[in-house]
Amino acid sequence: MDMSDAVIVKSSRLKSQVWNDFDRVKKGDTCVAICRHCKKKLSGSSTSGTSHLRNHLIRCQRRSNHGISQYSSAREKRKESTLAIVNFNLDQDQKKDDALNLVNIKFEQDQLKDETVNSGNSNFDQRRSRFDLARMIIIHGYPLGMVEHVGFRVFVKNLQPLFELVTINRVEADCIEIYDKEKQKMNEMLDKLPGKISLSADLWTAVNGAEYLCLTASYIDDSWQLRRRILNFIVLDTSQTEDMLSEAIMTCLMDWDIDRKLFSMTLDCCSASDNIAVRIVERLSQNRFLYCNGQLFDIRCATNVINIVVQDALGAISEIVNKIRDSLRYIRSSQAVQAKFNEMAKEVGIQSQKSLSIDNPLQWKSTYAMLEAALEFRDVFTLLQENDRAYAISLSDVEWERATTVTSYLKLFVEIITVFSKCKHPTANIYFPELCDVKLRLIEWCKNSDEHISSLALRMRSKFDEYWEKCSLALAVATMLDPRFKLKLVEYYYPQIYGSTAKGRIADVFQGVKALFDEHSICSPLASDDQVAWQVGGGPLCLPSTAKDSRDRLMGFDKFLHEHSQGDGAKSDLDKYLEEPLFPRNIDFNILNWWKVHTPRYPILSMMARNVLCIPMSKVPQELAFHNTGRVLDRDWSSLNPATVQALVCSQDWIRSELES
């Protein structure tokens, strides 16, 4: 627009502070607002309001900081003079009508034009804002009741007067609607997955004592990324038997239509888990949904079994641990005692950098740190005992030696769990060497000359061996699919673990690998050994129920063809993979990227890798890896209807995961 003959309009009607930064220029019947800082031209019509001008000033790069602060303070003063609040009470338990006691929420006519969104420039969308609010509550775990908190309502009313404040019931309904839409998206995604799904089950406790079962799906998507998504969060009846629990899990699987896609299930190490796993295997085996007759289905959490043996270890020296805690409390009881202790440390020549601090009994890693530090000051504690009559706590040499031995055990377990928890979603291949080390150390610890320690080691070994018998095959298969190790790592560890019977154990692992590969070969929709038709058409062949009987009758024929094709001299994926040299080991190795790149070379074996590597060998989240307690639902959500709790927990997980991706 040519502004050569335009004139600047000076008017006493321009009350808004925004005109301190704009010139209102008129040419003919058109009014333009020109920024005094960057000279940008915007609408200056009286019908356009000033919101767009204020937004420009916030973004204007050439505007001085002084101008911004001056404008902000002026606007804040004008805002404050508009709203008078009496009896401002933030008591969350007060009723809505009492809590929101606002007087004179009144906007003068000219201010209303200035403060609200002008319909000529932008349309305010009440429904979208409502759902933005519901999503915010879901993502951040806020209490639903915040929508009726007085502070929130005042903030929203001042920020956007057009927004119609909502009730708890309204925002709850919005959250449920978001959950329904997100669940539909999750359903469609699971239906298109190229591989199988592994499930893990966790118990959560609500503040009110209710228990929830959380079912989480693990899978590798079509871009070879490992994903974990919560599928269900259902309230449990404490009177439910294992049979009822397994039935509830099956109902969830069928609701998602993934019972035919299930590869494995990870549970805690307890007898109740045995019964649940057996019942689910029986149900799924009836329809031949499980590979290898379910041998790889029942998985127990590796972190859970480590935590169980750790509690045995700490329980065996509980009196010693309590004495050390009491000793530290005494040392920290006064500055004089602390100074005396430090002086004695200098006398005996201790220059440890470790700090003596009392542990948190709910986090066993902190107990380990307390013991490790105390052991370095062992001689100082002995000296304090000899020279301070008020210090009545005494640890014998035998007790110190036992504390030393158990602390060395705890050190190994800290290192092992640190490996498990260093990444958010570890693949199944990382666990085998770590747990083999645990197995070997337990064998060694059982030979300790101290009967107290050897009996402890036997108890720990017994519990670990129950886990090992269930999971060693799955662990070995997963490490075989690591191109840096293949079967060589099994051949290295098994002679140390099994001695003279190692050869037979190694053969069992190979037979398990071969059987799993053969089943993937039979189910593979490959047109030929060099074509990867499943990448186009989806995962392993799943015919509709009308063709199921026909497929069952011809499965033997498929196996016959497969065996004879191998006998004719054609090498399988598995043969080629095992014959080739090991891939060099390096820190930055990404096993999923490796299989993504090598899928064309090993089309069938890559299907097997996709299904095995996503098994959650450990299901404990990073932040709870060293905790002695389970997961707890927060106070605000604990009081809600179970259906609402499920909607909030699941949709929170899905939305957060999508944002992270």
Side-chain angles (χ1 to χ4, degrees), residues 125-138 163 166 170-171 173-179 181 655:
D125 190 333
Q126 168 73 15
R127 179 176 170 81
R128 175 177 175 176
S129 296
R130 254 185 34 225
F131 281 97
D132 285 343
L133 172 60
R135 283 190 185 89
M136 178 189 75
I137 288 172
I138 290 170
F163 181 72
V166 297
R170 178 69 266 172
V171 78
D174 290 343
C175 289
I176 297 291
E177 188 171 338
I178 289 171
Y179 164 72
K181 290 179 180 177
I655 296 171

PDB file of all heavy atoms in Angstrom, residues 125-138 163 166 170-171 173-179 181 655:
ATOM      1  N   ASP A 125     -12.419 -21.805  19.741  1.00  0.00           N
ATOM      2  CA  ASP A 125     -13.023 -23.139  19.653  1.00  0.00           C
ATOM      3  C   ASP A 125     -13.134 -23.716  21.064  1.00  0.00           C
ATOM      4  O   ASP A 125     -12.154 -24.212  21.629  1.00  0.00           O
ATOM      5  CB  ASP A 125     -12.157 -24.035  18.764  1.00  0.00           C
ATOM      6  CG  ASP A 125     -12.841 -25.367  18.428  1.00  0.00           C
ATOM      7  OD1 ASP A 125     -13.684 -25.811  19.230  1.00  0.00           O
ATOM      8  OD2 ASP A 125     -12.518 -25.941  17.373  1.00  0.00           O
ATOM      9  N   GLN A 126     -14.336 -23.659  21.639  1.00  0.00           N
ATOM     10  CA  GLN A 126     -14.568 -24.141  23.003  1.00  0.00           C
ATOM     11  C   GLN A 126     -14.268 -25.635  23.123  1.00  0.00           C
ATOM     12  O   GLN A 126     -13.599 -26.072  24.056  1.00  0.00           O
ATOM     13  CB  GLN A 126     -16.017 -23.864  23.409  1.00  0.00           C
ATOM     14  CG  GLN A 126     -16.483 -24.557  24.681  1.00  0.00           C
ATOM     15  CD  GLN A 126     -15.905 -23.961  25.943  1.00  0.00           C
ATOM     16  OE1 GLN A 126     -15.369 -22.855  25.917  1.00  0.00           O
ATOM     17  NE2 GLN A 126     -15.997 -24.684  27.043  1.00  0.00           N
ATOM     18  N   ARG A 127     -14.724 -26.424  22.161  1.00  0.00           N
ATOM     19  CA  ARG A 127     -14.535 -27.880  22.225  1.00  0.00           C
ATOM     20  C   ARG A 127     -13.054 -28.252  22.152  1.00  0.00           C
ATOM     21  O   ARG A 127     -12.573 -29.076  22.925  1.00  0.00           O
ATOM     22  CB  ARG A 127     -15.311 -28.552  21.090  1.00  0.00           C
ATOM     23  CG  ARG A 127     -15.156 -30.067  21.059  1.00  0.00           C
ATOM     24  CD  ARG A 127     -16.034 -30.693  19.970  1.00  0.00           C
ATOM     25  NE  ARG A 127     -15.712 -32.096  19.777  1.00  0.00           N
ATOM     26  CZ  ARG A 127     -16.151 -33.082  20.541  1.00  0.00           C
ATOM     27  NH1 ARG A 127     -16.922 -32.813  21.565  1.00  0.00           N
ATOM     28  NH2 ARG A 127     -15.828 -34.338  20.286  1.00  0.00           N
ATOM     29  N   ARG A 128     -12.335 -27.600  21.242  1.00  0.00           N
ATOM     30  CA  ARG A 128     -10.904 -27.903  21.140  1.00  0.00           C
ATOM     31  C   ARG A 128     -10.186 -27.544  22.434  1.00  0.00           C
ATOM     32  O   ARG A 128      -9.335 -28.297  22.910  1.00  0.00           O
ATOM     33  CB  ARG A 128     -10.301 -27.131  19.973  1.00  0.00           C
ATOM     34  CG  ARG A 128      -8.792 -27.297  19.885  1.00  0.00           C
ATOM     35  CD  ARG A 128      -8.201 -26.603  18.695  1.00  0.00           C
ATOM     36  NE  ARG A 128      -6.744 -26.686  18.733  1.00  0.00           N
ATOM     37  CZ  ARG A 128      -5.947 -26.239  17.783  1.00  0.00           C
ATOM     38  NH1 ARG A 128      -6.451 -25.677  16.707  1.00  0.00           N
ATOM     39  NH2 ARG A 128      -4.644 -26.354  17.887  1.00  0.00           N
ATOM     40  N   SER A 129     -10.540 -26.414  23.018  1.00  0.00           N
ATOM     41  CA  SER A 129      -9.894 -26.001  24.269  1.00  0.00           C
ATOM     42  C   SER A 129     -10.214 -26.963  25.393  1.00  0.00           C
ATOM     43  O   SER A 129      -9.361 -27.257  26.240  1.00  0.00           O
ATOM     44  CB  SER A 129     -10.339 -24.581  24.646  1.00  0.00           C
ATOM     45  OG  SER A 129      -9.900 -23.656  23.677  1.00  0.00           O
ATOM     46  N   ARG A 130     -11.452 -27.476  25.417  1.00  0.00           N
ATOM     47  CA  ARG A 130     -11.824 -28.457  26.428  1.00  0.00           C
ATOM     48  C   ARG A 130     -10.961 -29.708  26.322  1.00  0.00           C
ATOM     49  O   ARG A 130     -10.466 -30.236  27.314  1.00  0.00           O
ATOM     50  CB  ARG A 130     -13.296 -28.842  26.245  1.00  0.00           C
ATOM     51  CG  ARG A 130     -14.235 -28.253  27.275  1.00  0.00           C
ATOM     52  CD  ARG A 130     -15.646 -28.753  27.144  1.00  0.00           C
ATOM     53  NE  ARG A 130     -15.756 -30.118  26.697  1.00  0.00           N
ATOM     54  CZ  ARG A 130     -16.607 -30.543  25.770  1.00  0.00           C
ATOM     55  NH1 ARG A 130     -17.406 -29.667  25.166  1.00  0.00           N
ATOM     56  NH2 ARG A 130     -16.660 -31.807  25.430  1.00  0.00           N
ATOM     57  N   PHE A 131     -10.770 -30.178  25.102  1.00  0.00           N
ATOM     58  CA  PHE A 131      -9.983 -31.400  24.917  1.00  0.00           C
ATOM     59  C   PHE A 131      -8.485 -31.143  25.109  1.00  0.00           C
ATOM     60  O   PHE A 131      -7.758 -32.047  25.520  1.00  0.00           O
ATOM     61  CB  PHE A 131     -10.278 -32.026  23.553  1.00  0.00           C
ATOM     62  CG  PHE A 131     -11.565 -32.797  23.534  1.00  0.00           C
ATOM     63  CD1 PHE A 131     -12.741 -32.226  23.073  1.00  0.00           C
ATOM     64  CD2 PHE A 131     -11.618 -34.085  24.033  1.00  0.00           C
ATOM     65  CE1 PHE A 131     -13.937 -32.929  23.090  1.00  0.00           C
ATOM     66  CE2 PHE A 131     -12.802 -34.801  24.052  1.00  0.00           C
ATOM     67  CZ  PHE A 131     -13.969 -34.219  23.584  1.00  0.00           C
ATOM     68  N   ASP A 132      -8.026 -29.933  24.829  1.00  0.00           N
ATOM     69  CA  ASP A 132      -6.641 -29.580  25.161  1.00  0.00           C
ATOM     70  C   ASP A 132      -6.438 -29.659  26.670  1.00  0.00           C
ATOM     71  O   ASP A 132      -5.397 -30.134  27.155  1.00  0.00           O
ATOM     72  CB  ASP A 132      -6.313 -28.166  24.665  1.00  0.00           C
ATOM     73  CG  ASP A 132      -6.107 -28.111  23.165  1.00  0.00           C
ATOM     74  OD1 ASP A 132      -5.905 -29.178  22.560  1.00  0.00           O
ATOM     75  OD2 ASP A 132      -6.152 -27.002  22.589  1.00  0.00           O
ATOM     76  N   LEU A 133      -7.430 -29.185  27.418  1.00  0.00           N
ATOM     77  CA  LEU A 133      -7.373 -29.251  28.877  1.00  0.00           C
ATOM     78  C   LEU A 133      -7.357 -30.702  29.344  1.00  0.00           C
ATOM     79  O   LEU A 133      -6.551 -31.077  30.217  1.00  0.00           O
ATOM     80  CB  LEU A 133      -8.579 -28.511  29.468  1.00  0.00           C
ATOM     81  CG  LEU A 133      -8.806 -28.636  30.982  1.00  0.00           C
ATOM     82  CD1 LEU A 133      -7.603 -28.102  31.753  1.00  0.00           C
ATOM     83  CD2 LEU A 133     -10.080 -27.896  31.386  1.00  0.00           C
ATOM     84  N   ALA A 134      -8.212 -31.546  28.775  1.00  0.00           N
ATOM     85  CA  ALA A 134      -8.267 -32.958  29.165  1.00  0.00           C
ATOM     86  C   ALA A 134      -6.948 -33.662  28.846  1.00  0.00           C
ATOM     87  O   ALA A 134      -6.443 -34.455  29.653  1.00  0.00           O
ATOM     88  CB  ALA A 134      -9.427 -33.653  28.443  1.00  0.00           C
ATOM     89  N   ARG A 135      -6.362 -33.369  27.687  1.00  0.00           N
ATOM     90  CA  ARG A 135      -5.075 -33.982  27.322  1.00  0.00           C
ATOM     91  C   ARG A 135      -3.976 -33.545  28.277  1.00  0.00           C
ATOM     92  O   ARG A 135      -3.101 -34.337  28.633  1.00  0.00           O
ATOM     93  CB  ARG A 135      -4.696 -33.613  25.883  1.00  0.00           C
ATOM     94  CG  ARG A 135      -5.465 -34.391  24.834  1.00  0.00           C
ATOM     95  CD  ARG A 135      -4.894 -34.186  23.437  1.00  0.00           C
ATOM     96  NE  ARG A 135      -5.727 -34.846  22.439  1.00  0.00           N
ATOM     97  CZ  ARG A 135      -6.755 -34.285  21.844  1.00  0.00           C
ATOM     98  NH1 ARG A 135      -7.077 -33.020  22.131  1.00  0.00           N
ATOM     99  NH2 ARG A 135      -7.474 -34.948  20.959  1.00  0.00           N
ATOM    100  N   MET A 136      -3.989 -32.283  28.664  1.00  0.00           N
ATOM    101  CA  MET A 136      -2.993 -31.795  29.619  1.00  0.00           C
ATOM    102  C   MET A 136      -3.093 -32.570  30.933  1.00  0.00           C
ATOM    103  O   MET A 136      -2.075 -32.992  31.507  1.00  0.00           O
ATOM    104  CB  MET A 136      -3.208 -30.307  29.867  1.00  0.00           C
ATOM    105  CG  MET A 136      -2.264 -29.694  30.887  1.00  0.00           C
ATOM    106  SD  MET A 136      -2.726 -28.003  31.327  1.00  0.00           S
ATOM    107  CE  MET A 136      -4.144 -28.311  32.383  1.00  0.00           C
ATOM    108  N   ILE A 137      -4.314 -32.773  31.410  1.00  0.00           N
ATOM    109  CA  ILE A 137      -4.523 -33.524  32.654  1.00  0.00           C
ATOM    110  C   ILE A 137      -4.015 -34.956  32.509  1.00  0.00           C
ATOM    111  O   ILE A 137      -3.352 -35.500  33.398  1.00  0.00           O
ATOM    112  CB  ILE A 137      -6.021 -33.503  33.032  1.00  0.00           C
ATOM    113  CG1 ILE A 137      -6.415 -32.102  33.515  1.00  0.00           C
ATOM    114  CG2 ILE A 137      -6.336 -34.544  34.095  1.00  0.00           C
ATOM    115  CD1 ILE A 137      -7.898 -31.911  33.733  1.00  0.00           C
ATOM    116  N   ILE A 138      -4.282 -35.573  31.355  1.00  0.00           N
ATOM    117  CA  ILE A 138      -3.842 -36.950  31.115  1.00  0.00           C
ATOM    118  C   ILE A 138      -2.320 -37.039  31.065  1.00  0.00           C
ATOM    119  O   ILE A 138      -1.706 -37.870  31.749  1.00  0.00           O
ATOM    120  CB  ILE A 138      -4.456 -37.481  29.801  1.00  0.00           C
ATOM    121  CG1 ILE A 138      -5.963 -37.695  29.961  1.00  0.00           C
ATOM    122  CG2 ILE A 138      -3.784 -38.788  29.376  1.00  0.00           C
ATOM    123  CD1 ILE A 138      -6.680 -37.974  28.652  1.00  0.00           C
ATOM    124  N   PHE A 163     -13.815 -18.876  27.330  1.00  0.00           N
ATOM    125  CA  PHE A 163     -13.813 -20.301  27.671  1.00  0.00           C
ATOM    126  C   PHE A 163     -14.837 -20.572  28.768  1.00  0.00           C
ATOM    127  O   PHE A 163     -14.813 -19.952  29.831  1.00  0.00           O
ATOM    128  CB  PHE A 163     -12.434 -20.745  28.140  1.00  0.00           C
ATOM    129  CG  PHE A 163     -12.348 -22.210  28.479  1.00  0.00           C
ATOM    130  CD1 PHE A 163     -12.371 -23.166  27.490  1.00  0.00           C
ATOM    131  CD2 PHE A 163     -12.268 -22.633  29.810  1.00  0.00           C
ATOM    132  CE1 PHE A 163     -12.299 -24.512  27.796  1.00  0.00           C
ATOM    133  CE2 PHE A 163     -12.194 -23.978  30.122  1.00  0.00           C
ATOM    134  CZ  PHE A 163     -12.209 -24.918  29.108  1.00  0.00           C
ATOM    135  N   VAL A 166     -15.352 -25.827  32.958  1.00  0.00           N
ATOM    136  CA  VAL A 166     -15.955 -27.155  32.965  1.00  0.00           C
ATOM    137  C   VAL A 166     -15.966 -27.736  34.370  1.00  0.00           C
ATOM    138  O   VAL A 166     -15.213 -27.314  35.249  1.00  0.00           O
ATOM    139  CB  VAL A 166     -15.207 -28.111  32.011  1.00  0.00           C
ATOM    140  CG1 VAL A 166     -15.317 -27.634  30.587  1.00  0.00           C
ATOM    141  CG2 VAL A 166     -13.747 -28.256  32.430  1.00  0.00           C
ATOM    142  N   ARG A 170     -17.533 -33.216  33.475  1.00  0.00           N
ATOM    143  CA  ARG A 170     -17.331 -32.900  32.058  1.00  0.00           C
ATOM    144  C   ARG A 170     -15.916 -33.267  31.614  1.00  0.00           C
ATOM    145  O   ARG A 170     -15.722 -33.876  30.554  1.00  0.00           O
ATOM    146  CB  ARG A 170     -17.574 -31.398  31.846  1.00  0.00           C
ATOM    147  CG  ARG A 170     -17.350 -30.871  30.419  1.00  0.00           C
ATOM    148  CD  ARG A 170     -18.380 -31.381  29.462  1.00  0.00           C
ATOM    149  NE  ARG A 170     -17.939 -32.589  28.759  1.00  0.00           N
ATOM    150  CZ  ARG A 170     -18.701 -33.321  27.991  1.00  0.00           C
ATOM    151  NH1 ARG A 170     -19.974 -33.010  27.819  1.00  0.00           N
ATOM    152  NH2 ARG A 170     -18.236 -34.404  27.388  1.00  0.00           N
ATOM    153  N   VAL A 171     -14.913 -32.923  32.413  1.00  0.00           N
ATOM    154  CA  VAL A 171     -13.538 -33.224  32.009  1.00  0.00           C
ATOM    155  C   VAL A 171     -13.280 -34.727  32.080  1.00  0.00           C
ATOM    156  O   VAL A 171     -12.507 -35.276  31.286  1.00  0.00           O
ATOM    157  CB  VAL A 171     -12.525 -32.441  32.873  1.00  0.00           C
ATOM    158  CG1 VAL A 171     -12.320 -33.054  34.251  1.00  0.00           C
ATOM    159  CG2 VAL A 171     -11.173 -32.341  32.157  1.00  0.00           C
ATOM    160  N   ALA A 173     -15.533 -37.022  31.336  1.00  0.00           N
ATOM    161  CA  ALA A 173     -16.122 -37.525  30.098  1.00  0.00           C
ATOM    162  C   ALA A 173     -15.222 -37.232  28.897  1.00  0.00           C
ATOM    163  O   ALA A 173     -15.087 -38.063  27.988  1.00  0.00           O
ATOM    164  CB  ALA A 173     -17.499 -36.897  29.889  1.00  0.00           C
ATOM    165  N   ASP A 174     -14.581 -36.066  28.897  1.00  0.00           N
ATOM    166  CA  ASP A 174     -13.659 -35.724  27.808  1.00  0.00           C
ATOM    167  C   ASP A 174     -12.454 -36.665  27.807  1.00  0.00           C
ATOM    168  O   ASP A 174     -11.979 -37.086  26.744  1.00  0.00           O
ATOM    169  CB  ASP A 174     -13.191 -34.270  27.951  1.00  0.00           C
ATOM    170  CG  ASP A 174     -14.307 -33.278  27.658  1.00  0.00           C
ATOM    171  OD1 ASP A 174     -15.310 -33.683  27.045  1.00  0.00           O
ATOM    172  OD2 ASP A 174     -14.171 -32.097  28.042  1.00  0.00           O
ATOM    173  N   CYS A 175     -11.946 -36.995  28.989  1.00  0.00           N
ATOM    174  CA  CYS A 175     -10.806 -37.922  29.086  1.00  0.00           C
ATOM    175  C   CYS A 175     -11.190 -39.308  28.566  1.00  0.00           C
ATOM    176  O   CYS A 175     -10.393 -39.961  27.881  1.00  0.00           O
ATOM    177  CB  CYS A 175     -10.322 -38.021  30.534  1.00  0.00           C
ATOM    178  SG  CYS A 175      -9.491 -36.539  31.146  1.00  0.00           S
ATOM    179  N   ILE A 176     -12.388 -39.757  28.896  1.00  0.00           N
ATOM    180  CA  ILE A 176     -12.865 -41.053  28.398  1.00  0.00           C
ATOM    181  C   ILE A 176     -12.971 -41.026  26.873  1.00  0.00           C
ATOM    182  O   ILE A 176     -12.605 -41.996  26.189  1.00  0.00           O
ATOM    183  CB  ILE A 176     -14.236 -41.404  29.010  1.00  0.00           C
ATOM    184  CG1 ILE A 176     -14.134 -41.569  30.534  1.00  0.00           C
ATOM    185  CG2 ILE A 176     -14.814 -42.655  28.364  1.00  0.00           C
ATOM    186  CD1 ILE A 176     -13.379 -42.774  30.992  1.00  0.00           C
ATOM    187  N   GLU A 177     -13.450 -39.913  26.320  1.00  0.00           N
ATOM    188  CA  GLU A 177     -13.582 -39.804  24.866  1.00  0.00           C
ATOM    189  C   GLU A 177     -12.205 -39.836  24.193  1.00  0.00           C
ATOM    190  O   GLU A 177     -12.026 -40.479  23.149  1.00  0.00           O
ATOM    191  CB  GLU A 177     -14.319 -38.513  24.502  1.00  0.00           C
ATOM    192  CG  GLU A 177     -14.660 -38.419  23.015  1.00  0.00           C
ATOM    193  CD  GLU A 177     -15.577 -37.254  22.680  1.00  0.00           C
ATOM    194  OE1 GLU A 177     -16.280 -36.764  23.585  1.00  0.00           O
ATOM    195  OE2 GLU A 177     -15.567 -36.832  21.498  1.00  0.00           O
ATOM    196  N   ILE A 178     -11.236 -39.158  24.796  1.00  0.00           N
ATOM    197  CA  ILE A 178      -9.865 -39.197  24.265  1.00  0.00           C
ATOM    198  C   ILE A 178      -9.331 -40.629  24.310  1.00  0.00           C
ATOM    199  O   ILE A 178      -8.714 -41.118  23.354  1.00  0.00           O
ATOM    200  CB  ILE A 178      -8.953 -38.250  25.066  1.00  0.00           C
ATOM    201  CG1 ILE A 178      -9.306 -36.796  24.754  1.00  0.00           C
ATOM    202  CG2 ILE A 178      -7.480 -38.514  24.753  1.00  0.00           C
ATOM    203  CD1 ILE A 178      -8.606 -35.790  25.651  1.00  0.00           C
ATOM    204  N   TYR A 179      -9.582 -41.323  25.422  1.00  0.00           N
ATOM    205  CA  TYR A 179      -9.142 -42.715  25.556  1.00  0.00           C
ATOM    206  C   TYR A 179      -9.737 -43.600  24.457  1.00  0.00           C
ATOM    207  O   TYR A 179      -9.037 -44.412  23.848  1.00  0.00           O
ATOM    208  CB  TYR A 179      -9.539 -43.240  26.938  1.00  0.00           C
ATOM    209  CG  TYR A 179      -9.493 -44.742  27.087  1.00  0.00           C
ATOM    210  CD1 TYR A 179      -8.277 -45.427  27.134  1.00  0.00           C
ATOM    211  CD2 TYR A 179     -10.667 -45.487  27.185  1.00  0.00           C
ATOM    212  CE1 TYR A 179      -8.235 -46.804  27.280  1.00  0.00           C
ATOM    213  CE2 TYR A 179     -10.630 -46.864  27.337  1.00  0.00           C
ATOM    214  CZ  TYR A 179      -9.420 -47.519  27.381  1.00  0.00           C
ATOM    215  OH  TYR A 179      -9.380 -48.884  27.519  1.00  0.00           O
ATOM    216  N   LYS A 181     -10.740 -42.780  21.493  1.00  0.00           N
ATOM    217  CA  LYS A 181     -10.134 -42.475  20.192  1.00  0.00           C
ATOM    218  C   LYS A 181      -8.706 -43.020  20.111  1.00  0.00           C
ATOM    219  O   LYS A 181      -8.295 -43.577  19.086  1.00  0.00           O
ATOM    220  CB  LYS A 181     -10.135 -40.963  19.954  1.00  0.00           C
ATOM    221  CG  LYS A 181     -11.527 -40.381  19.708  1.00  0.00           C
ATOM    222  CD  LYS A 181     -11.473 -38.880  19.507  1.00  0.00           C
ATOM    223  CE  LYS A 181     -12.871 -38.307  19.251  1.00  0.00           C
ATOM    224  NZ  LYS A 181     -12.850 -36.830  19.125  1.00  0.00           N
ATOM    225  N   ILE A 655      -0.204 -41.312  24.680  1.00  0.00           N
ATOM    226  CA  ILE A 655       0.078 -39.944  24.230  1.00  0.00           C
ATOM    227  C   ILE A 655       1.527 -39.576  24.512  1.00  0.00           C
ATOM    228  O   ILE A 655       2.215 -38.986  23.677  1.00  0.00           O
ATOM    229  CB  ILE A 655      -0.892 -38.948  24.890  1.00  0.00           C
ATOM    230  CG1 ILE A 655      -2.328 -39.222  24.438  1.00  0.00           C
ATOM    231  CG2 ILE A 655      -0.506 -37.510  24.532  1.00  0.00           C
ATOM    232  CD1 ILE A 655      -3.385 -38.418  25.196  1.00  0.00           C
TER     233      ILE A 655
END
